[in-house]
Amino acid sequence: MAKLSDLSDDLLVKILTFLPTKAAVSTSVLSKQWEFLWMWLPKLEFKFTTPPKYACLRDFIAKNLPLHKAPIIESLHLSSSYCSIQPEDLKSWVGIAVSRCVRELCIPIYSFGMERAVPLPCSLYSCNSLLTLKLCGQKTLVDVPGTVCLPSLKILELRRVTYPNDDSIRLLLSNCLVLEDLTIYRRDHDNVRKLVIIVPSLQRLSLEIPRLCSPGRYVIGTPSLKNLEVKDYRVSSSYLIEQMLELEEAVIMVVQDPEELLESITFTKRLSLRVIFNRAIEKVYRDGIVFNRLENLKVYRCCDDWSKSLFQLLKVSPNLRVLSLIVDSVSTDFGGYYEPVSWSNNQSSVPKCLSKSLETFEFAGYMGTREERDFLSFIFKHACHLKSLKILRGPEPHHGSYLEDLTIYRRDHDNVRKLVIIVPSLQRLSLEIPRLCSPGRYVIGTPSLKNLEVKDYRVSSSYLIEQMLELEEAVIMVVQDPEELLESITFTKRLSLRVIFNRAIEKVYRDGIVFNRLENLKVYRCCDDWSKSLFQLLKVSPNLRVLSLIVDSVSTDFGGYYEPVSWSNNQSSVPKCLSKSLETFEFAGYMGTREERDFLSFIFKHACHLKSLKILRGPEPHHGSYVRL
């Protein structure tokens, strides 16, 4: 076994790069070989924590940084929490880093005891190699000289720093010709009244503006922007923003009317919006505000009477596919004011996205208020293309119990056309629907469900069911095609399926229907020519371990129609579970028909891992025997 000392210096330096700088320096006492290895580290981090340690660390840096051997300093991090960095020290250390072609420089200064902010050295603003610059803290003074030029800078973060005037940011940004990522977190009273961001190359922009910042105008020209985040806590704000034609995602949090922001981001594909109004009104947006590309909208509800504003936003989002409504934590303190929604039954005012494109709706924090119920009723009535629906109930401090077990046995003509079951806490659900019940849709959102039983005797049925990711067992009995039910229970481990078709066909399930977790499958044979459907079900159950085939009592009355199975000798079509995982096969009610013999022959030929095989002959009054292998 090779010793650590046998490794090359290059490899040892590589190992040291995974350690904090302080730990890497401490290895210098190990041996002569290790004494100066740390001085080849391309990344350095020095933290000034307490005043007593400042002098010691200052002397160490002053002595060793000029002698540092790495030809290029990839990263230099100089931070100060409770003691000040002297301007002359900062000038010297940054100057050395610039001379070594530093690529990333991070300087957070949060020394609250300092009287004045520390200016950054002029050499920093003319570093040709700098790719990333992160400046943080109210004691960091960004005083940009007129000779600034950062031709390689791609990432710039200015978090709660201090500026001498408005021109500092404008001058800095105008000389960052390839800047792609910009973060500006302002602080109260930071000397900036007007913020100008004109950066044609910018891809990502994040702004945070606290409440006591000046109400001056923000001028933004970023035509290549793809991601925008704005958090503006001021009660009065003003924006002049060039249209962002390439915008992919926008996150907006404002206290007042967001219209000036919204009209500049109409090309975005994803929008997250949190607006705290004094009182929501039935907002009508300008003609130019239409979100034709918007596909995903997340809205935070921060006040009562919110639905009118959301309704208007839906009207200007004709191609919306995903809508998420989230109750903000502050919303629970409102007094409950709500004026009933006058447009809920007006067909002409229905947003196009509901009747045309909306596929997914999520509501987190549902409390059951009248406004919420009215809005949900509107969604259920007009959203024709919904594929996924999730409603999560909000916290209820005065109630400790949640519904876990639900049984609904309907009766013929019971006046229910559409059944909606949205219960996030539900563990077990049992439904029985007789033949003469209405053929209306069943909407089921039970993400925690573990056991499902559905007996649907209607000849026509429709289901909209959220995927049940925690499902353990499902029992399904239907008269017609069970595909809508099956695609929602693909995570089940145990499945019992009884399907009565007019005539079984060689069913090919959609791509999304794959039972990767299914281990135990019980299928009731209710008609002749059943083997093709069972074969297709085996193909989408790659990890099946137990298969039970049971002849239903009604099946003995069929006329015996059977088209020979064309796939029985086709090796390429053999379900994976037969060659990989199936261990137990049981056949109850075997009558010796040709279809049964063909299917058994197929099982015997391809089930390589069978450990248990049981075949019970069908009911014959004069025979009590059975076959068991």
Side-chain angles (χ1 to χ4, degrees), residues 266-286:
T266 55
F267 283 82
T268 189
K269 293 182 179 180
R270 298 180 297 277
L271 172 61
S272 174
L273 183 64
R274 181 189 274 114
V275 183
I276 305 175
F277 290 104
N278 291 331
R279 179 64 61 201
I281 60 172
E282 193 162 352
K283 181 73 179 175
V284 178
Y285 293 105
R286 302 175 194 168

PDB file of all heavy atoms in Angstrom, residues 266-286:
ATOM      1  N   THR A 266     -43.824  40.643 -20.145  1.00  0.00           N
ATOM      2  CA  THR A 266     -44.922  39.896 -20.771  1.00  0.00           C
ATOM      3  C   THR A 266     -44.443  38.718 -21.612  1.00  0.00           C
ATOM      4  O   THR A 266     -45.248  37.892 -22.027  1.00  0.00           O
ATOM      5  CB  THR A 266     -45.776  40.829 -21.650  1.00  0.00           C
ATOM      6  OG1 THR A 266     -44.926  41.482 -22.605  1.00  0.00           O
ATOM      7  CG2 THR A 266     -46.461  41.884 -20.796  1.00  0.00           C
ATOM      8  N   PHE A 267     -43.128  38.619 -21.871  1.00  0.00           N
ATOM      9  CA  PHE A 267     -42.605  37.511 -22.660  1.00  0.00           C
ATOM     10  C   PHE A 267     -42.149  36.334 -21.792  1.00  0.00           C
ATOM     11  O   PHE A 267     -41.677  35.334 -22.324  1.00  0.00           O
ATOM     12  CB  PHE A 267     -41.434  37.982 -23.542  1.00  0.00           C
ATOM     13  CG  PHE A 267     -41.864  38.748 -24.754  1.00  0.00           C
ATOM     14  CD1 PHE A 267     -42.160  40.098 -24.668  1.00  0.00           C
ATOM     15  CD2 PHE A 267     -41.998  38.116 -25.985  1.00  0.00           C
ATOM     16  CE1 PHE A 267     -42.573  40.809 -25.789  1.00  0.00           C
ATOM     17  CE2 PHE A 267     -42.408  38.817 -27.103  1.00  0.00           C
ATOM     18  CZ  PHE A 267     -42.694  40.168 -27.008  1.00  0.00           C
ATOM     19  N   THR A 268     -42.278  36.456 -20.492  1.00  0.00           N
ATOM     20  CA  THR A 268     -41.805  35.386 -19.620  1.00  0.00           C
ATOM     21  C   THR A 268     -42.647  34.116 -19.777  1.00  0.00           C
ATOM     22  O   THR A 268     -43.837  34.169 -20.109  1.00  0.00           O
ATOM     23  CB  THR A 268     -41.812  35.831 -18.142  1.00  0.00           C
ATOM     24  OG1 THR A 268     -41.161  34.838 -17.356  1.00  0.00           O
ATOM     25  CG2 THR A 268     -43.228  36.032 -17.625  1.00  0.00           C
ATOM     26  N   LYS A 269     -42.017  32.964 -19.504  1.00  0.00           N
ATOM     27  CA  LYS A 269     -42.704  31.680 -19.556  1.00  0.00           C
ATOM     28  C   LYS A 269     -43.162  31.227 -18.170  1.00  0.00           C
ATOM     29  O   LYS A 269     -44.134  30.489 -18.053  1.00  0.00           O
ATOM     30  CB  LYS A 269     -41.792  30.614 -20.160  1.00  0.00           C
ATOM     31  CG  LYS A 269     -41.477  30.831 -21.638  1.00  0.00           C
ATOM     32  CD  LYS A 269     -40.608  29.709 -22.168  1.00  0.00           C
ATOM     33  CE  LYS A 269     -40.314  29.894 -23.651  1.00  0.00           C
ATOM     34  NZ  LYS A 269     -39.451  28.800 -24.185  1.00  0.00           N
ATOM     35  N   ARG A 270     -42.440  31.669 -17.138  1.00  0.00           N
ATOM     36  CA  ARG A 270     -42.789  31.297 -15.766  1.00  0.00           C
ATOM     37  C   ARG A 270     -42.804  32.551 -14.904  1.00  0.00           C
ATOM     38  O   ARG A 270     -41.862  33.345 -14.928  1.00  0.00           O
ATOM     39  CB  ARG A 270     -41.779  30.293 -15.211  1.00  0.00           C
ATOM     40  CG  ARG A 270     -41.736  28.978 -15.988  1.00  0.00           C
ATOM     41  CD  ARG A 270     -40.721  28.000 -15.409  1.00  0.00           C
ATOM     42  NE  ARG A 270     -39.356  28.517 -15.490  1.00  0.00           N
ATOM     43  CZ  ARG A 270     -38.590  28.432 -16.557  1.00  0.00           C
ATOM     44  NH1 ARG A 270     -39.054  27.878 -17.668  1.00  0.00           N
ATOM     45  NH2 ARG A 270     -37.361  28.900 -16.547  1.00  0.00           N
ATOM     46  N   LEU A 271     -43.868  32.724 -14.131  1.00  0.00           N
ATOM     47  CA  LEU A 271     -44.014  33.924 -13.303  1.00  0.00           C
ATOM     48  C   LEU A 271     -44.472  33.534 -11.901  1.00  0.00           C
ATOM     49  O   LEU A 271     -45.431  32.782 -11.734  1.00  0.00           O
ATOM     50  CB  LEU A 271     -45.040  34.871 -13.933  1.00  0.00           C
ATOM     51  CG  LEU A 271     -45.454  36.087 -13.092  1.00  0.00           C
ATOM     52  CD1 LEU A 271     -44.245  36.982 -12.795  1.00  0.00           C
ATOM     53  CD2 LEU A 271     -46.549  36.879 -13.790  1.00  0.00           C
ATOM     54  N   SER A 272     -43.747  34.053 -10.892  1.00  0.00           N
ATOM     55  CA  SER A 272     -44.140  33.933  -9.494  1.00  0.00           C
ATOM     56  C   SER A 272     -44.439  35.331  -8.981  1.00  0.00           C
ATOM     57  O   SER A 272     -43.579  36.215  -9.058  1.00  0.00           O
ATOM     58  CB  SER A 272     -43.013  33.285  -8.676  1.00  0.00           C
ATOM     59  OG  SER A 272     -43.333  33.282  -7.303  1.00  0.00           O
ATOM     60  N   LEU A 273     -45.658  35.544  -8.474  1.00  0.00           N
ATOM     61  CA  LEU A 273     -46.109  36.901  -8.137  1.00  0.00           C
ATOM     62  C   LEU A 273     -46.654  36.943  -6.719  1.00  0.00           C
ATOM     63  O   LEU A 273     -47.564  36.191  -6.362  1.00  0.00           O
ATOM     64  CB  LEU A 273     -47.184  37.337  -9.134  1.00  0.00           C
ATOM     65  CG  LEU A 273     -47.728  38.757  -8.993  1.00  0.00           C
ATOM     66  CD1 LEU A 273     -46.630  39.788  -9.248  1.00  0.00           C
ATOM     67  CD2 LEU A 273     -48.890  38.979  -9.947  1.00  0.00           C
ATOM     68  N   ARG A 274     -46.064  37.833  -5.897  1.00  0.00           N
ATOM     69  CA  ARG A 274     -46.558  38.082  -4.542  1.00  0.00           C
ATOM     70  C   ARG A 274     -46.785  39.589  -4.403  1.00  0.00           C
ATOM     71  O   ARG A 274     -45.834  40.369  -4.417  1.00  0.00           O
ATOM     72  CB  ARG A 274     -45.567  37.594  -3.492  1.00  0.00           C
ATOM     73  CG  ARG A 274     -46.040  37.804  -2.059  1.00  0.00           C
ATOM     74  CD  ARG A 274     -44.961  37.503  -1.045  1.00  0.00           C
ATOM     75  NE  ARG A 274     -44.908  36.099  -0.677  1.00  0.00           N
ATOM     76  CZ  ARG A 274     -43.911  35.289  -0.951  1.00  0.00           C
ATOM     77  NH1 ARG A 274     -42.871  35.732  -1.644  1.00  0.00           N
ATOM     78  NH2 ARG A 274     -43.923  34.025  -0.572  1.00  0.00           N
ATOM     79  N   VAL A 275     -48.042  39.999  -4.292  1.00  0.00           N
ATOM     80  CA  VAL A 275     -48.400  41.417  -4.219  1.00  0.00           C
ATOM     81  C   VAL A 275     -49.229  41.658  -2.971  1.00  0.00           C
ATOM     82  O   VAL A 275     -50.259  41.010  -2.761  1.00  0.00           O
ATOM     83  CB  VAL A 275     -49.199  41.860  -5.465  1.00  0.00           C
ATOM     84  CG1 VAL A 275     -49.485  43.361  -5.393  1.00  0.00           C
ATOM     85  CG2 VAL A 275     -48.429  41.534  -6.731  1.00  0.00           C
ATOM     86  N   ILE A 276     -48.779  42.610  -2.137  1.00  0.00           N
ATOM     87  CA  ILE A 276     -49.522  42.963  -0.928  1.00  0.00           C
ATOM     88  C   ILE A 276     -50.200  44.302  -1.168  1.00  0.00           C
ATOM     89  O   ILE A 276     -49.569  45.368  -1.098  1.00  0.00           O
ATOM     90  CB  ILE A 276     -48.595  43.049   0.295  1.00  0.00           C
ATOM     91  CG1 ILE A 276     -47.824  41.740   0.469  1.00  0.00           C
ATOM     92  CG2 ILE A 276     -49.401  43.353   1.559  1.00  0.00           C
ATOM     93  CD1 ILE A 276     -46.811  41.773   1.580  1.00  0.00           C
ATOM     94  N   PHE A 277     -51.479  44.274  -1.519  1.00  0.00           N
ATOM     95  CA  PHE A 277     -52.256  45.500  -1.689  1.00  0.00           C
ATOM     96  C   PHE A 277     -52.892  45.885  -0.354  1.00  0.00           C
ATOM     97  O   PHE A 277     -53.077  45.043   0.517  1.00  0.00           O
ATOM     98  CB  PHE A 277     -53.381  45.310  -2.708  1.00  0.00           C
ATOM     99  CG  PHE A 277     -52.913  45.166  -4.123  1.00  0.00           C
ATOM    100  CD1 PHE A 277     -52.900  43.926  -4.733  1.00  0.00           C
ATOM    101  CD2 PHE A 277     -52.482  46.263  -4.840  1.00  0.00           C
ATOM    102  CE1 PHE A 277     -52.475  43.780  -6.035  1.00  0.00           C
ATOM    103  CE2 PHE A 277     -52.065  46.130  -6.145  1.00  0.00           C
ATOM    104  CZ  PHE A 277     -52.056  44.881  -6.739  1.00  0.00           C
ATOM    105  N   ASN A 278     -53.284  47.177  -0.226  1.00  0.00           N
ATOM    106  CA  ASN A 278     -54.112  47.564   0.911  1.00  0.00           C
ATOM    107  C   ASN A 278     -55.476  46.882   0.805  1.00  0.00           C
ATOM    108  O   ASN A 278     -56.051  46.426   1.757  1.00  0.00           O
ATOM    109  CB  ASN A 278     -54.287  49.086   0.963  1.00  0.00           C
ATOM    110  CG  ASN A 278     -52.980  49.762   1.306  1.00  0.00           C
ATOM    111  OD1 ASN A 278     -52.150  49.187   1.997  1.00  0.00           O
ATOM    112  ND2 ASN A 278     -52.782  50.974   0.810  1.00  0.00           N
ATOM    113  N   ARG A 279     -56.008  46.824  -0.408  1.00  0.00           N
ATOM    114  CA  ARG A 279     -57.248  46.121  -0.670  1.00  0.00           C
ATOM    115  C   ARG A 279     -57.270  45.742  -2.125  1.00  0.00           C
ATOM    116  O   ARG A 279     -57.091  46.585  -3.001  1.00  0.00           O
ATOM    117  CB  ARG A 279     -58.473  46.997  -0.335  1.00  0.00           C
ATOM    118  CG  ARG A 279     -59.795  46.313  -0.618  1.00  0.00           C
ATOM    119  CD  ARG A 279     -59.982  45.088   0.273  1.00  0.00           C
ATOM    120  NE  ARG A 279     -59.983  45.449   1.678  1.00  0.00           N
ATOM    121  CZ  ARG A 279     -59.728  44.585   2.646  1.00  0.00           C
ATOM    122  NH1 ARG A 279     -59.437  43.339   2.341  1.00  0.00           N
ATOM    123  NH2 ARG A 279     -59.748  44.964   3.899  1.00  0.00           N
ATOM    124  N   ALA A 280     -57.480  44.483  -2.433  1.00  0.00           N
ATOM    125  CA  ALA A 280     -57.516  44.046  -3.825  1.00  0.00           C
ATOM    126  C   ALA A 280     -58.719  44.664  -4.527  1.00  0.00           C
ATOM    127  O   ALA A 280     -59.777  44.839  -3.948  1.00  0.00           O
ATOM    128  CB  ALA A 280     -57.598  42.523  -3.885  1.00  0.00           C
ATOM    129  N   ILE A 281     -58.554  45.022  -5.782  1.00  0.00           N
ATOM    130  CA  ILE A 281     -59.631  45.580  -6.592  1.00  0.00           C
ATOM    131  C   ILE A 281     -59.741  44.771  -7.876  1.00  0.00           C
ATOM    132  O   ILE A 281     -58.869  43.984  -8.206  1.00  0.00           O
ATOM    133  CB  ILE A 281     -59.384  47.067  -6.922  1.00  0.00           C
ATOM    134  CG1 ILE A 281     -58.063  47.217  -7.697  1.00  0.00           C
ATOM    135  CG2 ILE A 281     -59.361  47.913  -5.671  1.00  0.00           C
ATOM    136  CD1 ILE A 281     -57.842  48.631  -8.216  1.00  0.00           C
ATOM    137  N   GLU A 282     -60.836  44.954  -8.587  1.00  0.00           N
ATOM    138  CA  GLU A 282     -61.005  44.250  -9.848  1.00  0.00           C
ATOM    139  C   GLU A 282     -60.142  44.935 -10.887  1.00  0.00           C
ATOM    140  O   GLU A 282     -60.556  45.834 -11.607  1.00  0.00           O
ATOM    141  CB  GLU A 282     -62.474  44.231 -10.261  1.00  0.00           C
ATOM    142  CG  GLU A 282     -62.746  43.252 -11.379  1.00  0.00           C
ATOM    143  CD  GLU A 282     -64.210  42.904 -11.490  1.00  0.00           C
ATOM    144  OE1 GLU A 282     -64.965  43.310 -10.608  1.00  0.00           O
ATOM    145  OE2 GLU A 282     -64.572  42.222 -12.447  1.00  0.00           O
ATOM    146  N   LYS A 283     -58.917  44.515 -10.980  1.00  0.00           N
ATOM    147  CA  LYS A 283     -57.884  45.161 -11.782  1.00  0.00           C
ATOM    148  C   LYS A 283     -58.074  44.848 -13.260  1.00  0.00           C
ATOM    149  O   LYS A 283     -58.272  43.707 -13.642  1.00  0.00           O
ATOM    150  CB  LYS A 283     -56.517  44.654 -11.319  1.00  0.00           C
ATOM    151  CG  LYS A 283     -55.339  45.257 -12.040  1.00  0.00           C
ATOM    152  CD  LYS A 283     -55.113  46.673 -11.612  1.00  0.00           C
ATOM    153  CE  LYS A 283     -53.922  47.294 -12.310  1.00  0.00           C
ATOM    154  NZ  LYS A 283     -53.764  48.695 -11.992  1.00  0.00           N
ATOM    155  N   VAL A 284     -58.007  45.864 -14.081  1.00  0.00           N
ATOM    156  CA  VAL A 284     -58.023  45.691 -15.526  1.00  0.00           C
ATOM    157  C   VAL A 284     -56.690  46.175 -16.058  1.00  0.00           C
ATOM    158  O   VAL A 284     -56.350  47.353 -15.940  1.00  0.00           O
ATOM    159  CB  VAL A 284     -59.181  46.471 -16.183  1.00  0.00           C
ATOM    160  CG1 VAL A 284     -59.130  46.289 -17.697  1.00  0.00           C
ATOM    161  CG2 VAL A 284     -60.510  46.002 -15.628  1.00  0.00           C
ATOM    162  N   TYR A 285     -55.886  45.275 -16.623  1.00  0.00           N
ATOM    163  CA  TYR A 285     -54.561  45.634 -17.088  1.00  0.00           C
ATOM    164  C   TYR A 285     -54.635  46.353 -18.433  1.00  0.00           C
ATOM    165  O   TYR A 285     -55.581  46.188 -19.202  1.00  0.00           O
ATOM    166  CB  TYR A 285     -53.697  44.377 -17.201  1.00  0.00           C
ATOM    167  CG  TYR A 285     -53.405  43.750 -15.861  1.00  0.00           C
ATOM    168  CD1 TYR A 285     -54.048  42.585 -15.458  1.00  0.00           C
ATOM    169  CD2 TYR A 285     -52.505  44.341 -14.983  1.00  0.00           C
ATOM    170  CE1 TYR A 285     -53.782  42.015 -14.222  1.00  0.00           C
ATOM    171  CE2 TYR A 285     -52.237  43.777 -13.749  1.00  0.00           C
ATOM    172  CZ  TYR A 285     -52.886  42.623 -13.377  1.00  0.00           C
ATOM    173  OH  TYR A 285     -52.632  42.075 -12.154  1.00  0.00           O
ATOM    174  N   ARG A 286     -53.589  47.148 -18.692  1.00  0.00           N
ATOM    175  CA  ARG A 286     -53.515  47.865 -19.964  1.00  0.00           C
ATOM    176  C   ARG A 286     -53.533  46.892 -21.134  1.00  0.00           C
ATOM    177  O   ARG A 286     -53.180  45.723 -21.002  1.00  0.00           O
ATOM    178  CB  ARG A 286     -52.227  48.691 -20.015  1.00  0.00           C
ATOM    179  CG  ARG A 286     -52.093  49.701 -18.881  1.00  0.00           C
ATOM    180  CD  ARG A 286     -50.733  50.372 -18.961  1.00  0.00           C
ATOM    181  NE  ARG A 286     -50.431  51.094 -17.737  1.00  0.00           N
ATOM    182  CZ  ARG A 286     -49.228  51.579 -17.432  1.00  0.00           C
ATOM    183  NH1 ARG A 286     -48.234  51.414 -18.277  1.00  0.00           N
ATOM    184  NH2 ARG A 286     -49.035  52.231 -16.312  1.00  0.00           N
TER     185      ARG A 286
END
